[in-house]
Amino acid sequence: MILGLTGAIGSGKSAVLDVFHRRNWKTVDADKLCHDAYLHASDELLDALKKSFGSDCVNPDRSVDRKKIAERVFGNREKLDELTALIIPEFENEFEKFVTYCRSNEINAICEVPLLFEKGYQDKFDAVIAIWTPDDLRHERLKKMRNMDDDDIRKRESQQLSPEKKIELADFCVVNDSTLEEVEKQVTEIIGSLNLK
């Protein structure tokens, strides 16, 4: 079984992934798949990144400076769409490799994709879990743990569906507004409700 995991920025997706990992599920997140896509980037992709985001976003060793690209993308819808068009084929290739490996080896897996519904990936999964966390708690976490200010948070959130819409579209919901033990309990209930081999 392959599950998708999504939620607003700062909702605690990594905590949910960790619970699945401790239950012997194979876990991966979109950042890792994007990193792999950049790592295995073709010459054509590297040239397109340089052209769109500046030659300094690709290092002499062919590694991509993701931080520089992120700085030039966030808050700029046009540039985000441009980056998405460039990286999506590479990302999807890495994702398909992951899914094929898991399905052919009958491995239960979960993949965290923040923009899962926004990019129409829901049909790639057997089921989708959305995490909901109150906005004030999410914002507090983002300010403390990622050093983000209100403007940074607003820019990121403007590129995502609302947390409520994600819950509406998902098959399962995890409410992350108290303790990790409570998150673990909800994940355990979800796993128990799945038709696993």
Side-chain angles (χ1 to χ4, degrees), residues 1-7 16 20 25 110 116-117 125-132 163-175 186-196:
M1 173 158 297
I2 312 290
L3 299 179
L5 174 66
T6 194
V16 172
F20 275 94
W25 282 59
I110 183 166
L116 188 149
F117 291 117
F125 300 99
D126 298 311
V128 174
I129 301 169
I131 305 172
W132 182 86
E164 293 73 23
K165 185 65 177 174
K166 289 180 189 253
I167 290 165
E168 180 187 320
L169 295 170
D171 302 289
F172 300 99
C173 174
V174 170
V175 176
Q186 293 174 70
V187 169
T188 301
E189 288 171 2
I190 291 170
I191 292 172
S193 73
L194 298 170
N195 246 348
L196 300 177

mmCIF file of all heavy atoms in Angstrom, residues 1-7 16 20 25 110 116-117 125-132 163-175 186-196:
data_model
loop_
_atom_site.group_PDB
_atom_site.id
_atom_site.type_symbol
_atom_site.label_atom_id
_atom_site.label_comp_id
_atom_site.label_asym_id
_atom_site.label_seq_id
_atom_site.Cartn_x
_atom_site.Cartn_y
_atom_site.Cartn_z
ATOM 1 N N MET A 1 0.839 -1.182 0.000
ATOM 2 C CA MET A 1 0.000 0.000 0.000
ATOM 3 C C MET A 1 0.883 1.244 0.000
ATOM 4 O O MET A 1 1.861 1.314 0.734
ATOM 5 C CB MET A 1 -0.906 -0.009 1.231
ATOM 6 C CG MET A 1 -1.685 1.269 1.386
ATOM 7 S SD MET A 1 -3.175 1.154 2.373
ATOM 8 C CE MET A 1 -4.165 0.030 1.424
ATOM 9 N N ILE A 2 0.516 2.219 -0.825
ATOM 10 C CA ILE A 2 1.256 3.473 -0.904
ATOM 11 C C ILE A 2 0.317 4.597 -0.460
ATOM 12 O O ILE A 2 -0.726 4.820 -1.066
ATOM 13 C CB ILE A 2 1.748 3.782 -2.338
ATOM 14 C CG1 ILE A 2 2.435 2.575 -2.976
ATOM 15 C CG2 ILE A 2 2.648 5.003 -2.338
ATOM 16 C CD1 ILE A 2 3.767 2.210 -2.397
ATOM 17 N N LEU A 3 0.702 5.282 0.607
ATOM 18 C CA LEU A 3 -0.093 6.389 1.133
ATOM 19 C C LEU A 3 0.568 7.714 0.784
ATOM 20 O O LEU A 3 1.788 7.817 0.727
ATOM 21 C CB LEU A 3 -0.218 6.298 2.655
ATOM 22 C CG LEU A 3 -0.895 5.062 3.244
ATOM 23 C CD1 LEU A 3 -0.890 5.150 4.769
ATOM 24 C CD2 LEU A 3 -2.312 4.923 2.722
ATOM 25 N N GLY A 4 -0.261 8.735 0.597
ATOM 26 C CA GLY A 4 0.217 10.096 0.453
ATOM 27 C C GLY A 4 -0.034 10.837 1.751
ATOM 28 O O GLY A 4 -1.029 10.587 2.430
ATOM 29 N N LEU A 5 0.859 11.731 2.103
ATOM 30 C CA LEU A 5 0.731 12.527 3.322
ATOM 31 C C LEU A 5 0.887 13.997 2.951
ATOM 32 O O LEU A 5 1.845 14.367 2.275
ATOM 33 C CB LEU A 5 1.811 12.124 4.326
ATOM 34 C CG LEU A 5 1.909 12.944 5.610
ATOM 35 C CD1 LEU A 5 0.661 12.758 6.473
ATOM 36 C CD2 LEU A 5 3.157 12.555 6.397
ATOM 37 N N THR A 6 -0.063 14.817 3.397
ATOM 38 C CA THR A 6 0.007 16.236 3.085
ATOM 39 C C THR A 6 -0.483 17.055 4.267
ATOM 40 O O THR A 6 -1.033 16.526 5.223
ATOM 41 C CB THR A 6 -0.790 16.565 1.797
ATOM 42 O OG1 THR A 6 -0.449 17.872 1.340
ATOM 43 C CG2 THR A 6 -2.290 16.444 2.011
ATOM 44 N N GLY A 7 -0.262 18.344 4.182
ATOM 45 C CA GLY A 7 -0.688 19.253 5.239
ATOM 46 C C GLY A 7 -0.022 20.591 5.030
ATOM 47 O O GLY A 7 0.937 20.713 4.262
ATOM 48 N N VAL A 16 4.468 12.665 11.741
ATOM 49 C CA VAL A 16 3.628 11.555 11.269
ATOM 50 C C VAL A 16 4.486 10.555 10.492
ATOM 51 O O VAL A 16 4.362 9.347 10.676
ATOM 52 C CB VAL A 16 2.448 12.074 10.423
ATOM 53 C CG1 VAL A 16 1.694 10.919 9.766
ATOM 54 C CG2 VAL A 16 1.503 12.912 11.294
ATOM 55 N N PHE A 20 5.130 6.355 11.182
ATOM 56 C CA PHE A 20 5.066 5.290 10.172
ATOM 57 C C PHE A 20 6.408 4.571 10.065
ATOM 58 O O PHE A 20 6.447 3.341 9.949
ATOM 59 C CB PHE A 20 4.642 5.862 8.804
ATOM 60 C CG PHE A 20 3.159 5.971 8.629
ATOM 61 C CD1 PHE A 20 2.498 7.148 8.927
ATOM 62 C CD2 PHE A 20 2.415 4.902 8.165
ATOM 63 C CE1 PHE A 20 1.126 7.261 8.774
ATOM 64 C CE2 PHE A 20 1.036 4.991 8.000
ATOM 65 C CZ PHE A 20 0.390 6.180 8.312
ATOM 66 N N TRP A 25 7.224 1.105 8.029
ATOM 67 C CA TRP A 25 6.827 1.563 6.702
ATOM 68 C C TRP A 25 8.022 2.267 6.067
ATOM 69 O O TRP A 25 8.817 2.904 6.756
ATOM 70 C CB TRP A 25 5.670 2.555 6.811
ATOM 71 C CG TRP A 25 4.331 1.913 7.063
ATOM 72 C CD1 TRP A 25 3.990 1.128 8.130
ATOM 73 C CD2 TRP A 25 3.171 2.015 6.249
ATOM 74 N NE1 TRP A 25 2.692 0.742 8.020
ATOM 75 C CE2 TRP A 25 2.159 1.272 6.873
ATOM 76 C CE3 TRP A 25 2.887 2.668 5.051
ATOM 77 C CZ2 TRP A 25 0.870 1.157 6.332
ATOM 78 C CZ3 TRP A 25 1.616 2.568 4.518
ATOM 79 C CH2 TRP A 25 0.625 1.814 5.152
ATOM 80 N N ILE A 110 4.836 5.394 2.647
ATOM 81 C CA ILE A 110 4.129 6.670 2.726
ATOM 82 C C ILE A 110 5.052 7.763 2.214
ATOM 83 O O ILE A 110 6.231 7.776 2.522
ATOM 84 C CB ILE A 110 3.626 6.953 4.164
ATOM 85 C CG1 ILE A 110 2.821 8.264 4.204
ATOM 86 C CG2 ILE A 110 4.768 6.958 5.174
ATOM 87 C CD1 ILE A 110 2.005 8.443 5.481
ATOM 88 N N LEU A 116 0.416 18.018 -2.644
ATOM 89 C CA LEU A 116 -0.166 16.799 -3.215
ATOM 90 C C LEU A 116 -1.442 17.086 -4.001
ATOM 91 O O LEU A 116 -1.563 16.700 -5.168
ATOM 92 C CB LEU A 116 -0.447 15.804 -2.068
ATOM 93 C CG LEU A 116 -0.874 14.399 -2.442
ATOM 94 C CD1 LEU A 116 -0.382 13.431 -1.375
ATOM 95 C CD2 LEU A 116 -2.382 14.277 -2.557
ATOM 96 N N PHE A 117 -2.409 17.757 -3.377
ATOM 97 C CA PHE A 117 -3.664 18.058 -4.075
ATOM 98 C C PHE A 117 -3.478 19.168 -5.104
ATOM 99 O O PHE A 117 -4.061 19.115 -6.192
ATOM 100 C CB PHE A 117 -4.756 18.453 -3.072
ATOM 101 C CG PHE A 117 -5.206 17.311 -2.214
ATOM 102 C CD1 PHE A 117 -5.015 17.348 -0.845
ATOM 103 C CD2 PHE A 117 -5.816 16.191 -2.762
ATOM 104 C CE1 PHE A 117 -5.423 16.307 -0.035
ATOM 105 C CE2 PHE A 117 -6.230 15.134 -1.966
ATOM 106 C CZ PHE A 117 -6.029 15.189 -0.605
ATOM 107 N N PHE A 125 -1.851 7.567 -5.219
ATOM 108 C CA PHE A 125 -1.801 6.893 -3.920
ATOM 109 C C PHE A 125 -3.051 6.052 -3.683
ATOM 110 O O PHE A 125 -4.110 6.339 -4.220
ATOM 111 C CB PHE A 125 -1.672 7.941 -2.801
ATOM 112 C CG PHE A 125 -0.444 8.787 -2.922
ATOM 113 C CD1 PHE A 125 -0.495 10.060 -3.470
ATOM 114 C CD2 PHE A 125 0.790 8.301 -2.505
ATOM 115 C CE1 PHE A 125 0.641 10.840 -3.599
ATOM 116 C CE2 PHE A 125 1.941 9.066 -2.634
ATOM 117 C CZ PHE A 125 1.863 10.336 -3.175
ATOM 118 N N ASP A 126 -2.888 5.028 -2.832
ATOM 119 C CA ASP A 126 -4.040 4.211 -2.452
ATOM 120 C C ASP A 126 -4.961 4.979 -1.512
ATOM 121 O O ASP A 126 -6.172 4.756 -1.498
ATOM 122 C CB ASP A 126 -3.568 2.910 -1.781
ATOM 123 C CG ASP A 126 -2.742 2.064 -2.742
ATOM 124 O OD1 ASP A 126 -3.202 1.848 -3.880
ATOM 125 O OD2 ASP A 126 -1.630 1.643 -2.366
ATOM 126 N N ALA A 127 -4.399 5.867 -0.721
ATOM 127 C CA ALA A 127 -5.164 6.735 0.178
ATOM 128 C C ALA A 127 -4.287 7.920 0.558
ATOM 129 O O ALA A 127 -3.058 7.856 0.455
ATOM 130 C CB ALA A 127 -5.606 5.977 1.429
ATOM 131 N N VAL A 128 -4.935 9.006 0.998
ATOM 132 C CA VAL A 128 -4.219 10.220 1.382
ATOM 133 C C VAL A 128 -4.596 10.611 2.812
ATOM 134 O O VAL A 128 -5.765 10.580 3.185
ATOM 135 C CB VAL A 128 -4.541 11.386 0.418
ATOM 136 C CG1 VAL A 128 -3.909 12.687 0.909
ATOM 137 C CG2 VAL A 128 -4.067 11.070 -0.993
ATOM 138 N N ILE A 129 -3.566 10.980 3.581
ATOM 139 C CA ILE A 129 -3.747 11.486 4.942
ATOM 140 C C ILE A 129 -3.401 12.971 4.936
ATOM 141 O O ILE A 129 -2.355 13.362 4.420
ATOM 142 C CB ILE A 129 -2.817 10.766 5.942
ATOM 143 C CG1 ILE A 129 -3.085 9.263 5.954
ATOM 144 C CG2 ILE A 129 -2.974 11.359 7.347
ATOM 145 C CD1 ILE A 129 -2.029 8.463 6.730
ATOM 146 N N ALA A 130 -4.285 13.784 5.505
ATOM 147 C CA ALA A 130 -3.988 15.217 5.677
ATOM 148 C C ALA A 130 -3.831 15.494 7.169
ATOM 149 O O ALA A 130 -4.547 14.922 7.997
ATOM 150 C CB ALA A 130 -5.107 16.073 5.097
ATOM 151 N N ILE A 131 -2.895 16.365 7.491
ATOM 152 C CA ILE A 131 -2.671 16.759 8.884
ATOM 153 C C ILE A 131 -3.272 18.144 9.082
ATOM 154 O O ILE A 131 -3.088 19.027 8.236
ATOM 155 C CB ILE A 131 -1.172 16.806 9.229
ATOM 156 C CG1 ILE A 131 -0.519 15.482 8.896
ATOM 157 C CG2 ILE A 131 -0.966 17.155 10.689
ATOM 158 C CD1 ILE A 131 0.971 15.514 9.034
ATOM 159 N N TRP A 132 -3.967 18.306 10.196
ATOM 160 C CA TRP A 132 -4.506 19.616 10.544
ATOM 161 C C TRP A 132 -3.921 20.062 11.872
ATOM 162 O O TRP A 132 -3.895 19.303 12.853
ATOM 163 C CB TRP A 132 -6.027 19.585 10.639
ATOM 164 C CG TRP A 132 -6.595 20.939 10.950
ATOM 165 C CD1 TRP A 132 -6.898 21.917 10.057
ATOM 166 C CD2 TRP A 132 -6.887 21.472 12.245
ATOM 167 N NE1 TRP A 132 -7.372 23.027 10.710
ATOM 168 C CE2 TRP A 132 -7.374 22.786 12.066
ATOM 169 C CE3 TRP A 132 -6.778 20.978 13.544
ATOM 170 C CZ2 TRP A 132 -7.753 23.599 13.124
ATOM 171 C CZ3 TRP A 132 -7.148 21.789 14.604
ATOM 172 C CH2 TRP A 132 -7.644 23.084 14.385
ATOM 173 N N PRO A 163 -5.714 24.448 4.859
ATOM 174 C CA PRO A 163 -5.698 23.171 5.596
ATOM 175 C C PRO A 163 -7.073 22.495 5.598
ATOM 176 O O PRO A 163 -7.162 21.270 5.490
ATOM 177 C CB PRO A 163 -5.276 23.580 7.015
ATOM 178 C CG PRO A 163 -4.505 24.849 6.825
ATOM 179 C CD PRO A 163 -5.163 25.546 5.673
ATOM 180 N N GLU A 164 -8.116 23.292 5.678
ATOM 181 C CA GLU A 164 -9.478 22.737 5.703
ATOM 182 C C GLU A 164 -9.825 22.051 4.379
ATOM 183 O O GLU A 164 -10.465 21.000 4.362
ATOM 184 C CB GLU A 164 -10.493 23.845 6.030
ATOM 185 C CG GLU A 164 -10.390 24.406 7.434
ATOM 186 C CD GLU A 164 -9.163 25.304 7.679
ATOM 187 O OE1 GLU A 164 -8.613 25.865 6.694
ATOM 188 O OE2 GLU A 164 -8.751 25.417 8.847
ATOM 189 N N LYS A 165 -9.390 22.642 3.273
ATOM 190 C CA LYS A 165 -9.660 22.046 1.955
ATOM 191 C C LYS A 165 -8.888 20.734 1.803
ATOM 192 O O LYS A 165 -9.410 19.754 1.259
ATOM 193 C CB LYS A 165 -9.270 23.031 0.847
ATOM 194 C CG LYS A 165 -9.634 22.552 -0.545
ATOM 195 C CD LYS A 165 -11.136 22.441 -0.714
ATOM 196 C CE LYS A 165 -11.512 22.034 -2.135
ATOM 197 N NZ LYS A 165 -12.960 21.797 -2.268
ATOM 198 N N LYS A 166 -7.656 20.693 2.319
ATOM 199 C CA LYS A 166 -6.866 19.452 2.251
ATOM 200 C C LYS A 166 -7.579 18.332 3.015
ATOM 201 O O LYS A 166 -7.632 17.190 2.559
ATOM 202 C CB LYS A 166 -5.461 19.683 2.807
ATOM 203 C CG LYS A 166 -4.588 20.547 1.900
ATOM 204 C CD LYS A 166 -3.198 20.750 2.496
ATOM 205 C CE LYS A 166 -2.404 21.776 1.739
ATOM 206 N NZ LYS A 166 -1.339 21.237 0.937
ATOM 207 N N ILE A 167 -8.124 18.666 4.184
ATOM 208 C CA ILE A 167 -8.840 17.669 4.989
ATOM 209 C C ILE A 167 -10.068 17.173 4.244
ATOM 210 O O ILE A 167 -10.360 15.977 4.223
ATOM 211 C CB ILE A 167 -9.240 18.263 6.358
ATOM 212 C CG1 ILE A 167 -7.989 18.472 7.207
ATOM 213 C CG2 ILE A 167 -10.232 17.376 7.095
ATOM 214 C CD1 ILE A 167 -8.206 19.355 8.393
ATOM 215 N N GLU A 168 -10.770 18.095 3.618
ATOM 216 C CA GLU A 168 -11.976 17.745 2.862
ATOM 217 C C GLU A 168 -11.652 16.754 1.736
ATOM 218 O O GLU A 168 -12.418 15.829 1.464
ATOM 219 C CB GLU A 168 -12.583 19.030 2.294
ATOM 220 C CG GLU A 168 -13.838 18.860 1.490
ATOM 221 C CD GLU A 168 -14.261 20.172 0.825
ATOM 222 O OE1 GLU A 168 -14.137 21.234 1.474
ATOM 223 O OE2 GLU A 168 -14.685 20.116 -0.340
ATOM 224 N N LEU A 169 -10.511 16.925 1.100
ATOM 225 C CA LEU A 169 -10.131 16.082 -0.032
ATOM 226 C C LEU A 169 -9.477 14.758 0.376
ATOM 227 O O LEU A 169 -9.452 13.813 -0.404
ATOM 228 C CB LEU A 169 -9.168 16.850 -0.944
ATOM 229 C CG LEU A 169 -9.749 18.086 -1.645
ATOM 230 C CD1 LEU A 169 -8.640 18.895 -2.311
ATOM 231 C CD2 LEU A 169 -10.805 17.676 -2.672
ATOM 232 N N ALA A 170 -8.947 14.695 1.595
ATOM 233 C CA ALA A 170 -8.195 13.507 2.037
ATOM 234 C C ALA A 170 -9.113 12.371 2.473
ATOM 235 O O ALA A 170 -10.286 12.570 2.779
ATOM 236 C CB ALA A 170 -7.273 13.905 3.189
ATOM 237 N N ASP A 171 -8.523 11.165 2.518
ATOM 238 C CA ASP A 171 -9.242 9.987 3.008
ATOM 239 C C ASP A 171 -9.201 9.902 4.524
ATOM 240 O O ASP A 171 -10.121 9.373 5.149
ATOM 241 C CB ASP A 171 -8.612 8.711 2.414
ATOM 242 C CG ASP A 171 -8.638 8.734 0.898
ATOM 243 O OD1 ASP A 171 -9.740 8.602 0.334
ATOM 244 O OD2 ASP A 171 -7.579 8.909 0.281
ATOM 245 N N PHE A 172 -8.114 10.392 5.121
ATOM 246 C CA PHE A 172 -7.931 10.364 6.574
ATOM 247 C C PHE A 172 -7.387 11.705 7.039
ATOM 248 O O PHE A 172 -6.727 12.406 6.279
ATOM 249 C CB PHE A 172 -6.928 9.265 6.983
ATOM 250 C CG PHE A 172 -7.331 7.881 6.587
ATOM 251 C CD1 PHE A 172 -6.801 7.299 5.439
ATOM 252 C CD2 PHE A 172 -8.221 7.144 7.354
ATOM 253 C CE1 PHE A 172 -7.163 6.013 5.059
ATOM 254 C CE2 PHE A 172 -8.595 5.859 6.982
ATOM 255 C CZ PHE A 172 -8.059 5.290 5.834
ATOM 256 N N CYS A 173 -7.635 12.014 8.305
ATOM 257 C CA CYS A 173 -7.125 13.251 8.885
ATOM 258 C C CYS A 173 -6.451 12.951 10.220
ATOM 259 O O CYS A 173 -6.961 12.155 11.014
ATOM 260 C CB CYS A 173 -8.271 14.235 9.103
ATOM 261 S SG CYS A 173 -7.764 15.730 9.969
ATOM 262 N N VAL A 174 -5.310 13.565 10.441
ATOM 263 C CA VAL A 174 -4.627 13.519 11.739
ATOM 264 C C VAL A 174 -4.668 14.940 12.300
ATOM 265 O O VAL A 174 -4.243 15.881 11.633
ATOM 266 C CB VAL A 174 -3.159 13.040 11.597
ATOM 267 C CG1 VAL A 174 -2.405 13.227 12.913
ATOM 268 C CG2 VAL A 174 -3.100 11.592 11.144
ATOM 269 N N VAL A 175 -5.216 15.072 13.504
ATOM 270 C CA VAL A 175 -5.251 16.375 14.171
ATOM 271 C C VAL A 175 -4.024 16.465 15.070
ATOM 272 O O VAL A 175 -3.843 15.644 15.968
ATOM 273 C CB VAL A 175 -6.553 16.548 14.992
ATOM 274 C CG1 VAL A 175 -6.527 17.865 15.754
ATOM 275 C CG2 VAL A 175 -7.767 16.472 14.071
ATOM 276 N N GLN A 186 -3.561 8.325 16.703
ATOM 277 C CA GLN A 186 -4.365 8.498 15.488
ATOM 278 C C GLN A 186 -3.772 7.721 14.307
ATOM 279 O O GLN A 186 -4.502 7.104 13.533
ATOM 280 C CB GLN A 186 -4.469 9.989 15.134
ATOM 281 C CG GLN A 186 -5.261 10.799 16.133
ATOM 282 C CD GLN A 186 -5.191 12.278 15.801
ATOM 283 O OE1 GLN A 186 -5.766 12.730 14.811
ATOM 284 N NE2 GLN A 186 -4.469 13.041 16.607
ATOM 285 N N VAL A 187 -2.444 7.759 14.174
ATOM 286 C CA VAL A 187 -1.789 7.016 13.094
ATOM 287 C C VAL A 187 -2.023 5.519 13.262
ATOM 288 O O VAL A 187 -2.309 4.807 12.299
ATOM 289 C CB VAL A 187 -0.275 7.346 13.026
ATOM 290 C CG1 VAL A 187 0.447 6.389 12.088
ATOM 291 C CG2 VAL A 187 -0.066 8.790 12.579
ATOM 292 N N THR A 188 -1.925 5.036 14.493
ATOM 293 C CA THR A 188 -2.163 3.620 14.776
ATOM 294 C C THR A 188 -3.579 3.217 14.352
ATOM 295 O O THR A 188 -3.788 2.152 13.766
ATOM 296 C CB THR A 188 -1.948 3.323 16.279
ATOM 297 O OG1 THR A 188 -0.603 3.683 16.612
ATOM 298 C CG2 THR A 188 -2.165 1.855 16.598
ATOM 299 N N GLU A 189 -4.553 4.090 14.625
ATOM 300 C CA GLU A 189 -5.940 3.813 14.226
ATOM 301 C C GLU A 189 -6.085 3.781 12.706
ATOM 302 O O GLU A 189 -6.782 2.928 12.159
ATOM 303 C CB GLU A 189 -6.877 4.869 14.826
ATOM 304 C CG GLU A 189 -7.064 4.719 16.328
ATOM 305 C CD GLU A 189 -7.821 5.888 16.953
ATOM 306 O OE1 GLU A 189 -8.241 6.810 16.209
ATOM 307 O OE2 GLU A 189 -7.972 5.885 18.192
ATOM 308 N N ILE A 190 -5.406 4.685 12.023
ATOM 309 C CA ILE A 190 -5.462 4.705 10.558
ATOM 310 C C ILE A 190 -4.864 3.426 9.996
ATOM 311 O O ILE A 190 -5.463 2.769 9.134
ATOM 312 C CB ILE A 190 -4.746 5.950 9.983
ATOM 313 C CG1 ILE A 190 -5.539 7.217 10.311
ATOM 314 C CG2 ILE A 190 -4.541 5.814 8.467
ATOM 315 C CD1 ILE A 190 -4.812 8.517 10.007
ATOM 316 N N ILE A 191 -3.685 3.050 10.483
ATOM 317 C CA ILE A 191 -3.039 1.820 10.007
ATOM 318 C C ILE A 191 -3.957 0.621 10.242
ATOM 319 O O ILE A 191 -4.113 -0.244 9.378
ATOM 320 C CB ILE A 191 -1.664 1.623 10.659
ATOM 321 C CG1 ILE A 191 -0.676 2.700 10.178
ATOM 322 C CG2 ILE A 191 -1.105 0.221 10.367
ATOM 323 C CD1 ILE A 191 0.656 2.721 10.897
ATOM 324 N N GLY A 192 -4.594 0.583 11.417
ATOM 325 C CA GLY A 192 -5.497 -0.526 11.752
ATOM 326 C C GLY A 192 -6.698 -0.596 10.819
ATOM 327 O O GLY A 192 -7.256 -1.680 10.601
ATOM 328 N N SER A 193 -7.112 0.543 10.251
ATOM 329 C CA SER A 193 -8.287 0.562 9.380
ATOM 330 C C SER A 193 -7.959 0.210 7.928
ATOM 331 O O SER A 193 -8.850 -0.004 7.119
ATOM 332 C CB SER A 193 -8.958 1.935 9.424
ATOM 333 O OG SER A 193 -8.178 2.880 8.720
ATOM 334 N N LEU A 194 -6.669 0.144 7.602
ATOM 335 C CA LEU A 194 -6.262 -0.157 6.229
ATOM 336 C C LEU A 194 -6.307 -1.661 5.979
ATOM 337 O O LEU A 194 -6.070 -2.466 6.856
ATOM 338 C CB LEU A 194 -4.836 0.367 5.963
ATOM 339 C CG LEU A 194 -4.650 1.872 6.089
ATOM 340 C CD1 LEU A 194 -3.173 2.214 6.039
ATOM 341 C CD2 LEU A 194 -5.410 2.632 5.019
ATOM 342 N N ASN A 195 -6.587 -2.011 4.738
ATOM 343 C CA ASN A 195 -6.626 -3.414 4.342
ATOM 344 C C ASN A 195 -5.231 -3.862 3.951
ATOM 345 O O ASN A 195 -4.911 -3.942 2.768
ATOM 346 C CB ASN A 195 -7.559 -3.601 3.152
ATOM 347 C CG ASN A 195 -8.767 -4.421 3.501
ATOM 348 O OD1 ASN A 195 -8.814 -5.039 4.560
ATOM 349 N ND2 ASN A 195 -9.738 -4.437 2.608
ATOM 350 N N LEU A 196 -4.370 -4.128 4.927
ATOM 351 C CA LEU A 196 -2.993 -4.478 4.612
ATOM 352 C C LEU A 196 -2.840 -5.976 4.463
ATOM 353 O O LEU A 196 -3.497 -6.758 5.137
ATOM 354 C CB LEU A 196 -2.052 -3.970 5.728
ATOM 355 C CG LEU A 196 -2.071 -2.457 5.948
ATOM 356 C CD1 LEU A 196 -1.180 -2.089 7.100
ATOM 357 C CD2 LEU A 196 -1.632 -1.723 4.680
#
